[in-house]
């Protein structure tokens, strides 16, 4: 096992900068997830770690070794591809053993390791089959197995679950997490799916337009996004944003969105006061919106019209409109159903709200 | 059902007419090869005649057909083999590193009239003392085979996902090993197509062999010339020889028809 360090790594394809000055350190035995929308450079970053893509400038270390000019085969890594990339002309056993065979492992060692990997993944019965005779989920397991048998320093996963159906994806998510604990391996996992990132990662690295936006524990990036992009990317449904003014009246700070006005909690005053009078973006997560309980004055009650109410069984997603703004609320199923077109009173949980500088997109609180 | 009957009939009638037009010279050749010289030149042409095998006897007994057959086979096989050896890695590199300029350059060599190469070749080969040698013939036939191999195979390699060899490279293979162990075993249909087509083109080639070979290395198409003399043209012999020459090419095509058609369209549509 080993840590992986990227120092000021840049990748340019002609005029396009795919990865821009990326510096990250992935610890030994860590499950690191690189997440971002498509084209953000996360896959390119992974491919540079694998050695499948040359780096334009910067340094990549695996363990203590500088691997910039090292061929993929010498980096002691294993990679799982989105389309599995199983060798179609070999059966599962040969697919699993291929990497060991060309590294000149003994026949008995190969057999033992293939058997071990097959046991871990529950694919003993499939060893003699060709990839085309396997289902998507089985192929995924074989692809994982091919990485496991190698016992590499670092595992690289490039969107490995994207080609699976939703149900299988949830199951494999848990399985990969379990595998990580069992192997105690360093894993770098690339995905565009923030749910995968949140559920599996020890640490999340969020990328956008080739640059690293934020690094942190899943709960950190969820609770304290550093900018508008991260705030909008992490969380489902996405955070609600309102273009608003921050006004300072009689010693009290308000967010003035035109069609609504809410008072800011006193705790945030120190950070916010310098921005008074300026344009800001006000952000509230859907789960921080609740129906107003009569009698409780929280100073953040606003009226909104219900446009669509999606019933999920355990909870509802209420698509609301408030003046020119649209917002989504995620709440418990109310005792009294909300009718479409009905005007309701909602409260924002102001302790969890976010304010961003409109010009720089950076978080203020 | 009744409504459909007439258009279907018309369709097949049309197919039949086109097939007749296309196959007419072939039929003419085939029937003439079984006719006597008198029957061949008689007018109107005889539809019914007493078939004779004397033309074939001439081809196989009086002519050294086996020698020409071996010459054609050796030249075609070695030229195709060397073209595969050079062309497969070249095609792989063109496919993976998007070397379109190189690909166009190779195509250009194919598009240039072959006769423009012949004069310099003749001079070079005769100075090297290689006229009537297998080396000269094989090299010239590689001009036919190599572009076919490169174009068909570069298109074929492009249909194989890159991840396969990337996966092999991460697994511990060099790019060369990934090519040999992963990509080549998956390229069977493409290689069969390229081999069949380029072998047939080499087999049928007349011009290069006519100029660069003499009695020792004479290939089959040139052997047909043996039936033309100052005094007369032995049409029966020519036709029988032509049938004998075409037979292997036709058999090859029929065996690998599936791949050949696929290969032709592949080059045409995606090239």
């Amino acid at each position: 096992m080993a840590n992986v360090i990227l120092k000021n790594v840049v990748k340019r394809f002609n005029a396009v900068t795919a990865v821009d000055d990326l510096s990250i350190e992935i610890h030994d035995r860590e499950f690191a997830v690189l997440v971002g929308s498509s084209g953000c450079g996360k896959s390119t970053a992974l491919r540079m770690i694998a050695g499948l893509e040359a780096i334009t400038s910067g340094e990549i270390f695996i363990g203590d070794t500088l691997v910039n000019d090292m061929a993929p085969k010498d980096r002691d890594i294993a990679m799982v591809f989105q389309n599995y990339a199983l060798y179609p002309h070999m059966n599962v056993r040969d697919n699993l053993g291929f990497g060991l065979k060309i590294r000149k492992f003994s026949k008995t060692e190969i057999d033992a390791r293939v058997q071990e990997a097959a046991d871990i993944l529950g694919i003993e019965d499939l060893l003699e089959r060709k990839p085309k005779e396997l289902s998507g989920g089985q192929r995924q397991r074989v692809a994982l197995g091919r990485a496991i048998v190698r016992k590499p320093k670092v595992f690289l996963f490039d969107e490995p679950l994207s080609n699976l159906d939703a149900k299988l994806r949830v199951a494999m998510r848990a399985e990969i997490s379990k595998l990580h604990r069992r192997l105690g391996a360093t894993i770098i996992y690339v995905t565009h799916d923030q749910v995968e990132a949140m559920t599996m990662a020890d640490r999340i690295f969020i990328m956008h337009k080739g640059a690293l936006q934020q690094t942190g524990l899943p709960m950190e990036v969820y609770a304290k996004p550093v900018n508008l992009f991260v705030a909008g990317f992490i969380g489902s449904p996405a955070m609600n944003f309102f273009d608003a003014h921050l006004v300072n009246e009689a010693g009290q700070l308000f967010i003035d969105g035109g069609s609504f006005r809410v008072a800011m909690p006193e705790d945030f005053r120190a950070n916010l006061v310098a921005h008074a009078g300026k344009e800001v973006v006000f952000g509230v997560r859907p789960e921080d919106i609740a129906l107003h309980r009569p009698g409780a004055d929280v100073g953040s009650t606003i009226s909104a019209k219900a446009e669509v109410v999606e019933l999920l069984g355990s909870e509802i997603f209420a698509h609301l409109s408030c003046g020119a703004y649209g917002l989504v609320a995620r709440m418990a199923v109310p005792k009294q159903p909300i009718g479409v077109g009905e005007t309701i009173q909602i409260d924002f949980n102001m302790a969890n709200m976010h304010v961003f500088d409109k010009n720089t997109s950076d978080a203020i609180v | 059902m009744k409504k459909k009957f007439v258009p279907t009939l018309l369709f097949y009638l049309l197919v039949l007419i086109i097939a007749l037009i296309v196959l007419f010279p072939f039929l003419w050749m085939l029937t003439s090869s079984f006719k006597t010289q008198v029957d061949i030149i008689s007018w109107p042409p005889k539809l019914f005649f007493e078939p004779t095998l004397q033309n074939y006897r001439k081809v196989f007994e009086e002519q050294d057909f086996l020698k020409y057959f071996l010459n054609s086979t050796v030249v075609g096989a070695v030229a195709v083999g060397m073209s595969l050896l050079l062309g497969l890695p070249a095609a792989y590199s063109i496919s993976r590193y998007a070397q379109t300029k190189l690909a166009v350059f190779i195509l250009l060599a194919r598009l240039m009239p072959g006769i423009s190469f012949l004069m310099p070749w003749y001079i070079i080969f005769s100075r090297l003392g290689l006229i009537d040698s297998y080396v000269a013939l094989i090299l010239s036939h590689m001009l036919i085979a190599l572009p076919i191999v490169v174009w068909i195979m570069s298109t074929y390699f492009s249909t194989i996902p890159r991840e396969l060899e990337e996966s092999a490279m991460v697994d511990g293979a060099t790019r060369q090993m990934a090519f040999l162990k992963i990509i080549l075993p998956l390229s069977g249909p493409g290689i069969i197509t390229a081999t069949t087509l380029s072998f047939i083109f080499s087999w049928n080639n007349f011009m290069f062999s006519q100029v660069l070979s003499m009695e020792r290395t004479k290939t089959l198409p040139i052997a047909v010339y043996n039936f033309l003399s100052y005094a007369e043209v032995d049409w029966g012999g020519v036709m029988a020889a032509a049938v004998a020459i075409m037979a292997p090419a036709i058999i090859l095509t029929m065996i690998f028809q599936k791949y050949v058609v696929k290969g032709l369209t592949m080059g045409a549509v995606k090239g």
Side-chain angles (χ1 to χ4, degrees):
Chain A
M1 299 303 132
N3 58 342
V4 176
I5 299 169
L6 278 72
K7 275 188 191 161
N8 308 103
V9 171
V10 176
K11 176 68 186 181
R12 281 191 208 95
F13 294 103
N14 300 323
V16 183
T17 304
V19 172
D20 191 7
D21 198 22
L22 183 65
S23 293
I24 56 180
E25 179 171 358
I26 291 144
H27 305 145
D28 188 19
R29 291 162 191 268
E30 186 170 41
F31 197 130
V33 175
L34 296 185
V35 64
S37 39
S38 63
C40 73
K42 58 191 191 298
S43 278
T44 309
L46 193 76
R47 291 169 59 81
M48 286 192 289
I49 297 171
L52 296 171
E53 210 76 73
I55 64 177
T56 308
S57 68
E59 291 177 328
I60 297 179
F61 293 89
I62 296 175
D64 301 325
T65 320
L66 179 69
V67 296
N68 279 19
D69 300 315
M70 210 179 254
K73 71 183 177 72
D74 300 322
R75 296 190 180 197
D76 200 10
I77 43 158
M79 188 155 170
V80 178
F81 292 84
Q82 179 176 357
N83 62 5
Y84 319 133
L86 302 180
Y87 312 128
H89 57 302
M90 298 180 190
N91 64 19
V92 170
R93 185 185 294 282
D94 293 341
N95 260 285
L96 294 177
F98 179 78
L100 301 175
K101 203 170 151 196
I102 51 179
R103 283 168 199 272
K104 307 252 191 302
F105 278 71
S106 72
K107 182 94 178 50
T108 39
E109 174 74 10
I110 295 176
D111 284 346
R113 286 210 194 178
V114 167
Q115 199 56 49
E116 187 191 348
D119 284 344
I120 293 175
L121 294 164
I123 52 174
E124 302 96 325
D125 302 339
L126 308 175
L127 285 177
E128 308 309 323
R129 291 206 205 159
K130 288 272 176 70
K132 65 165 184 269
E133 298 162 331
L134 304 177
S135 70
Q138 290 169 333
R139 287 179 201 181
Q140 183 57 65
R141 279 166 198 277
V142 176
L144 284 175
R146 204 169 52 183
I148 292 174
V149 293
R150 292 259 323 281
K151 300 188 175 166
K153 278 191 194 145
V154 181
F155 286 90
L156 306 176
F157 288 76
D158 191 5
E159 309 230 5
L161 304 184
S162 299
N163 286 7
L164 299 178
D165 63 60
K167 211 170 165 184
L168 208 51
R169 205 177 307 156
V170 175
M172 285 306 285
R173 227 157 58 195
E175 206 148 333
I176 292 176
S177 291
K178 232 160 57 189
L179 203 63
H180 172 240
R181 279 199 301 276
R182 176 165 181 169
L183 300 174
T186 309
I187 292 182
I188 306 176
Y189 186 108
V190 158
T191 179
H192 65 272
D193 182 350
Q194 58 94 18
V195 179
E196 280 176 27
M198 289 296 288
T199 51
M200 299 164 84
D202 290 333
R203 261 195 317 156
I204 294 183
F205 299 78
I206 299 161
M207 291 183 68
H208 183 51
K209 292 183 177 165
L212 185 67
Q213 304 293 312
Q214 188 171 1
T215 305
L217 305 174
M219 272 321 285
E220 276 173 15
V221 293
Y222 172 82
K224 297 211 176 311
V226 295
N227 59 30
L228 267 176
F229 176 79
V230 175
F233 190 80
I234 297 290
S236 175
M239 188 186 285
N240 299 298
F241 295 118
F242 308 90
D243 289 330
H245 278 90
L246 189 64
V247 289
N248 193 353
E249 273 180 22
Q252 172 69 46
L253 287 167
F254 293 93
I255 288 287
D256 187 353
S259 51
F260 69 91
R261 189 181 167 106
V262 288
M264 297 307 288
E266 204 50 39
D267 304 353
F268 300 145
R269 187 180 172 80
N271 284 338
L272 282 172
V273 75
H275 293 267
K278 289 188 187 155
E279 286 187 59
V280 293
V281 176
F282 174 60
V284 181
R285 292 205 182 274
E287 45 274 41
D288 290 325
I289 300 174
L291 279 177
H292 177 61
R293 273 178 298 145
D297 183 18
V298 290
S300 63
T301 309
I302 69 169
S303 300
K305 200 170 106 192
E307 302 285 351
V308 176
V309 177
E310 294 174 324
L311 193 63
L312 274 73
S314 58
E315 57 186 358
I316 61 168
F317 293 167
H319 297 253
L320 312 169
S321 66
C322 175
Y325 302 110
L327 64 154
V328 179
R330 177 180 188 169
M331 24 197 201
V333 182
K335 289 191 185 91
Q336 193 74 38
I338 301 169
V340 172
E342 190 183 324
T343 298
I344 55 172
Q345 302 291 310
I346 51 173
D347 287 334
F348 295 148
N349 178 1
M350 295 304 282
N352 289 348
M353 60 92 228
H354 304 267
V355 179
F356 304 90
D357 187 315
K358 196 172 179 193
N359 294 319
T360 62
S361 299
D362 290 337
I364 303 167
V365 290
Chain B
M1 283 307 282
K2 236 182 181 178
K3 243 194 245 166
K4 273 194 161 175
F5 180 71
V6 176
T8 313
L9 188 77
L10 282 175
F11 174 76
Y12 281 107
L13 208 64
L14 194 71
V15 171
L16 192 71
I17 292 168
I18 292 171
L20 266 179
I21 293 170
V22 172
L23 291 177
F24 180 74
F26 183 77
L27 285 175
W28 185 268
M29 178 185 75
L30 198 65
T31 52
S32 297
S33 72
F34 292 105
K35 286 178 179 176
T36 60
Q37 182 81 348
V38 180
D39 283 343
I40 292 171
I41 56 176
S42 69
W43 190 261
K46 281 188 173 174
L47 279 179
F48 301 99
F49 57 92
E50 198 173 319
T52 167
L53 285 175
Q54 70 172 38
N55 296 322
Y56 287 94
R57 206 165 293 134
K58 263 188 289 188
V59 170
F60 290 103
E61 284 174 6
E62 292 172 24
Q63 300 287 331
D64 202 349
F65 189 83
L66 188 69
K67 186 178 96 179
Y68 307 139
F69 182 87
L70 279 179
N71 281 345
S72 267
T73 309
V74 166
V75 170
V78 178
V80 170
M82 305 241 310
S83 297
L84 287 173
L85 220 58
L86 291 175
L88 288 174
Y92 177 70
S93 145
I94 286 171
S95 153
R96 288 306 190 240
Y97 296 98
Q99 299 186 61
T100 37
K101 275 181 198 150
L102 182 62
V104 168
F105 184 74
I106 290 171
L107 186 68
L108 216 61
R110 174 88 185 122
L111 291 178
M112 278 187 32
I115 202 157
S116 56
F117 295 100
L118 262 177
M119 216 38 92
W121 277 354
Y122 188 81
I123 295 167
I124 293 168
F125 287 137
S126 60
R127 289 209 179 145
L128 293 172
L130 288 174
I131 296 297
D132 201 18
S133 73
Y134 286 120
V135 175
L137 269 188
I138 287 165
L139 285 176
S140 72
H141 279 225
M142 280 177 69
L143 182 79
I144 306 162
L146 196 52
I148 298 175
V149 170
V150 168
W151 271 82
I152 290 182
M153 290 316 294
S154 65
T155 318
Y156 192 87
F157 289 144
S158 299
T159 64
I160 298 177
R162 273 165 194 264
E163 285 87 354
L164 287 183
E165 73 224 41
E166 288 179 346
S167 176
M169 280 156 67
V170 169
D171 262 353
T174 58
R175 188 175 272 282
Q176 291 76 12
M177 269 166 87
F179 173 66
L180 288 175
K181 299 220 168 193
I182 305 296
I183 303 302
L184 274 191
L186 295 174
S187 305
I191 294 173
I192 290 174
T193 309
T195 305
T196 314
L197 282 178
S198 51
F199 186 80
I200 288 173
F201 280 119
S202 157
W203 186 268
N204 292 343
N205 180 273
F206 178 80
M207 193 169 50
F208 294 168
S209 311
Q210 167 70 3
V211 173
L212 298 174
S213 73
M214 309 250 242
E215 198 43 49
R216 192 171 77 91
T217 59
K218 196 183 265 186
T219 58
L220 279 175
I222 317 304
V224 177
Y225 255 29
N226 291 357
F227 293 96
L228 314 179
S229 64
Y230 286 116
E232 60 154 9
V233 177
D234 181 359
W235 285 118
V238 171
M239 297 302 180
V243 171
I245 293 166
M246 283 175 75
I250 290 172
I251 291 168
L252 262 184
T253 312
M254 272 156 70
I255 295 173
F256 299 116
Q257 193 188 39
K258 191 175 77 185
Y259 301 110
V260 172
V261 170
K262 208 172 149 195
L264 284 173
T265 52
M266 205 160 70
V269 181
K270 293 180 110 188

